[in-house]
Amino acid sequence: LFLVSFLATPLAIYALIVLVPLAITLGFSITNLNFLAPDWHFVGLRNYQFLANDDTALHAYLVTILLTIATGIVPNIAGFFLAVILDRPGRAVRIMRVLFFVPQILSAIVVAFIWAIILTDDGILNNFLRTIGLEAIAASWLGNATLALFSVAAVASWQLLGFCTVVYLAALQTIPRELYDSAAMDGVGAGSRLVHIQWPLVAPAFTIVTLLLLIAGFKMYDTPLVLTSGGPVDATETVAIQILRTGLDQNLAGYASAKAFVLFFIVIIVTVVVLRLLQRRETDL
Amino acid sequence: LYSLPVYVAVLNVVKETENIRRDPAGFPSPLTFDNLVAVLTRPDGLIFVGFTTSLVTVTATLALLVTLGSMAGYALSRAEGRASRVVLVLMLMGIMLPTQVTLIPVTRVLRFFSLMNTMPGLVLFNVGFYMPFTVFLFTGFMRAIPRELDEAAEIDGASRLETFWRIVFPLLRPAVATVIVFVGLAIWNDFLNPAIILGPAQGTTITTGLYRALGRYSTDYGQMFAMMFVASVPIVLLFLRLQRFFVSGLTAGATKG
């Protein structure tokens, strides 16, 4: 009985805010609901069929997946190496850790605004390249479709790097120093220490970091919104941005809900599969 | 090189807009505080409204989350059986859920309770949305607290509620700190949810206000940087103080997932 009484309120709020809306999303997705039109009816799976043939929508999924892969790998690996470098005592190292961590604390909005000023056509980066005579490299970092996608991925990775580093650092610091000492006595170099001791022993951290990066990647919204507002044209429009545009700007709640539900479905499948794989890997190592 | 963008941003807070255009990375001379003053004395008081809204939202959300989340966590950590497992699986779904998936229905639900465009509405949303993370953290943490402690308290005649509040809750300090840092940061920096739930008319959080203001006069670099600086400094300072809880909580909480 006490279980029920302790759980009732939190569960009720959770249900109201998460579970009920999720069910509504699923329900909306089989209707042609449009907030401007008073009458609506069930259309079965027509929204999903339409989605499968909607190039703009499919492109948004592709963009989201590409960005998720990039931000799932780049800061992850870079963060690990950075943590290995920073895993030593000393004042300078402590200051470096803080410096690397600051972008992670800042709002994605702030980070993206800073980078927008750097990357725009007459922004800091291009001006700098021109003054040092490298005008040939100066480019439209946010205006060219391919470059813009790279820029969004780079800015997001830049912000996430601090987070990855901190988690790996915490994991590395649990490794007993005696292990390094005895390895050194056996003539193990830094390279094989990295491969055979440090990498396997941070496997649980790798699992956590990868999962959180994946979840963050799939819902990426603020960074592309501020940097490019999804453009040029729709080169960096993620599903998260598109759902709200379809649902709130075009008022197509039914269709937006179908897009949303497909996104959620992808997140769940990918997360569960990756979690299984990584956990099996943990026990193998 | 990595920190260069942040360094440039901070430098430009005290630089004249003219000079930012000419030499964005250079050292500021003459030094000026005009940007900061201009931002703080904006006629619409954006910074103060934003600060108050953000602060109230974060505080109210955290108070409710810690109370409710720890109680739920206590119940789940002490219960065996299928019911509690079902609850945990339902919660796990919530951790993976991107906000955008349910945001449109959320506006409907809140409107139904007349909470749309109000601060209580935003707080309620935050409490619900961050409940899974909080509950997971507390459940994992309390599994490590020996059950014998509860039983001893019960023999001494304490009720379940008393046991929880007077014996178990005081032991949860590190977990509470983690929730405060983690969720507090997320809510302070959140842009989309307050933008939609509060709407344009009903005040604004600091992050949402920042987005709107920056869009509007994006030529005055000096003021842009000053505004970002003012909005970020408190959270960065708070965070650097509580950094260790972030790490410990993250590793402890996340391994349970």
Side-chain angles (χ1 to χ4, degrees):
Chain A
L1 185 73
F2 105 97
L3 189 114
V4 176
S5 63
F6 270 39
L7 269 175
T9 321
L11 257 187
I13 295 177
Y14 175 67
L16 191 71
I17 296 299
V18 175
L19 298 179
V20 169
L22 191 61
I24 297 179
T25 301
L26 188 58
F28 276 3
S29 76
I30 52 166
T31 69
N32 65 347
L33 187 67
N34 177 332
F35 289 139
L36 296 182
D39 55 327
W40 57 273
H41 51 265
F42 289 102
V43 294
L45 294 176
R46 211 180 300 158
N47 282 328
Y48 292 94
Q49 279 165 1
F50 190 70
L51 177 57
N53 297 310
D54 180 351
D55 287 340
T56 321
L58 295 180
H59 184 259
Y61 284 99
L62 180 68
V63 166
T64 307
I65 290 169
L66 288 177
L67 285 175
T68 306
I69 293 173
T71 55
I73 294 174
V74 177
N76 204 339
I77 303 300
F80 170 70
F81 283 109
L82 197 61
V84 170
I85 296 169
L86 293 180
D87 180 27
R88 62 192 66 185
R91 200 179 160 75
V93 173
R94 260 210 312 280
I95 294 172
M96 296 256 291
R97 276 182 212 162
V98 172
L99 284 182
F100 276 105
F101 203 54
V102 166
Q104 170 64 31
I105 313 166
L106 298 177
S107 158
I109 296 283
V110 168
V111 166
F113 265 114
I114 295 177
W115 275 99
I117 293 165
I118 296 174
L119 293 173
T120 49
D121 288 355
D122 57 348
I124 297 178
L125 179 59
N126 280 343
N127 279 335
F128 174 72
L129 289 173
R130 277 179 205 124
T131 25
I132 61 166
L134 286 173
E135 210 168 343
I137 315 179
S140 184
W141 304 107
L142 300 174
N144 170 295
T146 319
L147 279 179
L149 196 57
F150 273 104
S151 296
V152 171
V155 172
S157 300
W158 180 80
Q159 185 172 23
L160 291 164
L161 176 65
F163 163 77
C164 303
T165 311
V166 166
V167 179
Y168 282 126
L169 253 175
L172 284 174
Q173 279 166 353
T174 62
I175 301 177
R177 301 290 122 162
E178 293 79 31
L179 208 58
Y180 294 164
D181 295 342
S182 59
M185 250 183 279
D186 292 341
V188 174
S192 57
R193 183 173 86 177
L194 190 73
V195 175
H196 295 294
I197 301 176
Q198 287 166 322
W199 180 242
L201 285 177
V202 298
F206 180 75
T207 308
I208 301 161
V209 170
T210 308
L211 283 181
L212 293 176
L213 286 177
L214 286 179
I215 295 174
F218 279 118
K219 61 173 145 189
M220 199 183 298
Y221 181 87
D222 301 6
T223 310
L225 185 76
V226 172
L227 277 180
T228 61
S229 34
V233 193
D234 56 4
T236 54
E237 188 174 76
T238 61
V239 182
I241 294 180
Q242 202 178 69
I243 290 170
L244 292 174
R245 288 197 172 149
T246 313
L248 295 177
D249 299 346
Q250 303 170 22
N251 283 302
L252 300 172
Y255 189 36
S257 299
K259 285 179 180 172
F261 202 75
V262 170
L263 178 68
F264 184 48
F265 194 69
I266 296 177
V267 177
I268 289 191
I269 298 294
V270 171
T271 318
V272 170
V273 169
V274 170
L275 180 65
R276 284 276 149 75
L277 285 176
L278 290 180
Q279 274 178 340
R280 189 171 319 151
R281 177 179 161 275
E282 271 178 42
T283 48
D284 285 350
L285 282 169
Chain B
L1 196 64
Y2 178 80
S3 300
L4 204 61
V6 175
Y7 164 82
V8 168
V10 173
L11 268 192
N12 287 342
V13 171
V14 287
K15 210 189 288 184
E16 286 171 349
T17 301
E18 280 292 290
N19 290 336
I20 296 177
R21 272 220 198 96
R22 209 168 340 113
D23 180 17
F27 204 77
S29 70
L31 225 77
T32 170
F33 290 97
D34 291 356
N35 295 325
L36 279 174
V37 173
V39 163
L40 290 175
T41 55
R42 275 170 65 100
D44 57 359
L46 178 90
I47 295 293
F48 293 103
V49 174
F51 249 103
T52 325
T53 315
S54 284
L55 207 63
V56 172
T57 310
V58 168
T59 317
T61 305
L62 287 177
L64 282 168
L65 253 184
V66 166
T67 316
L68 295 172
S70 63
M71 286 172 76
Y74 181 60
L76 289 171
S77 72
R78 294 299 181 252
E80 291 119 9
R82 201 182 304 165
S84 68
R85 197 156 321 135
V86 169
V87 171
L88 282 173
V89 169
L90 281 178
M91 292 262 172
L92 193 62
M93 261 171 38
I95 289 189
M96 295 190 274
L97 182 77
T99 355
Q100 296 86 0
V101 170
T102 50
L103 195 52
I104 295 170
V106 162
T107 63
R108 299 273 119 174
V109 171
L110 290 179
R111 188 159 294 145
F112 180 78
F113 291 99
S114 306
L115 286 171
M116 194 56 188
N117 298 328
T118 67
M119 292 254 287
L122 182 60
V123 170
L124 185 72
F125 170 80
N126 283 332
V127 171
F129 194 74
Y130 293 103
M131 188 64 80
F133 171 79
T134 312
V135 168
F136 266 94
L137 193 81
F138 278 123
T139 309
F141 198 85
M142 273 184 273
R143 286 214 174 111
I145 296 175
R147 216 173 269 240
E148 288 74 34
L149 209 62
D150 306 21
E151 281 154 17
E154 216 166 325
I155 292 168
D156 289 345
S159 74
R160 263 337 245 273
L161 197 64
E162 276 174 333
T163 312
F164 174 69
W165 276 118
R166 300 181 41 195
I167 314 285
V168 179
F169 193 76
L171 296 171
L172 296 178
R173 294 248 298 272
V176 171
T178 307
V179 170
I180 290 176
V181 173
F182 220 110
V183 178
L185 193 64
I187 297 175
W188 184 276
N189 285 338
D190 192 9
F191 157 68
L192 178 64
N193 300 314
I196 302 281
I197 293 175
L198 283 184
Q202 287 296 314
T204 156
T205 64
I206 192 84
T207 308
T208 310
L210 194 69
Y211 175 77
R212 293 200 177 115
L214 292 191
R216 231 174 286 133
Y217 60 109
S218 52
T219 46
D220 193 341
Y221 285 156
Q223 290 204 16
M224 282 176 76
F225 282 115
M227 205 180 288
M228 293 195 268
F229 181 76
V230 172
S232 306
V233 159
I235 196 80
V236 171
L237 288 183
L238 174 84
F239 195 80
L240 293 179
R241 288 225 68 108
L242 296 172
Q243 208 193 87
R244 63 199 174 92
F245 291 114
F246 187 79
V247 178
S248 62
L250 192 74
T251 29
T255 36
K256 303 302 186 296

